[in-house]
Amino acid sequence: MREPDYVVDEMISAKAIAARVEALAKEIEAAFAGTEKLVVVGLLRGSFVFIADLVREIDLPVEVDFLEASSYGDSMESSREVRILKDLRGEIAGRDVLVVEDIVDTGFTLSHVIHLLRAREPRRLETIALLDKPSRREVEVRASWTGFEIPDEFVVGYGIDFAQRNRNLPFIGKVRFPRG
Ligand code: IMP
């Protein structure tokens, strides 16, 4: 297979991300003040860098768990199916839960995950997305906290991939194809 012929233009610097993550962590700390333990659920794989930075800024007792969901389009219809590829290891009934997502795009993934986890009756369920592309939304859903709203661009870096590449970039960049 040929390597994709694209370039990555920086959109959000590592410094800007770090400052935003710190600010979001303070808001989360305030929102969950007094919690016995906050279960921070990272959606694999795109959130792995974000969750790693975020939990280290949250000064509360935390437990970290992961969920892997896969969404794919049906070419005949605009509806989407979301499959759970890896479920949580722990129970969340009666607990305080924060779901950590990399990007909210159409919204199918986050709304499905919220629905799934609410059915398990957590005490409180909140969500955080590093990036939000509101112009792409097909399902009415909004994260409790959002790092940055971005335009309809395909982005990579800080855990986010393009065909499994570029997850290790320290910044968020947009993918550009120089020859169209
Ligand atoms: P949604 O169900 O359409 O909201 O899909 C969200 C998921 O699609 C994210 O968790 C990402 O894995 C992926 N995604 C959406 N936009 C981008 C992008 O610009 N770059 C890389 N992955 C993306």
Side-chain angles (χ1 to χ4, degrees), residues 101-109 133 153-155 160-161:
E101 169 70 307
D102 57 351
I103 310 179
V104 184
D105 188 42
T106 63
F108 281 102
T109 306
K133 293 191 212 172
E153 302 277 1
F154 197 85
V155 295
I160 300 165
D161 75 304

Side-chain angles (χ1 to χ4, degrees), residues 5-6 8 13 40 72 86 93 96 104 116-117 135 146 154 157-158 170 173:
D5 182 21
Y6 63 89
V8 178
S13 70
V40 184
Y72 48 93
K86 186 216 165 290
D96 291 325
V104 184
L116 178 87
L117 298 186
S135 65
T146 296
F154 197 85
Y158 198 69

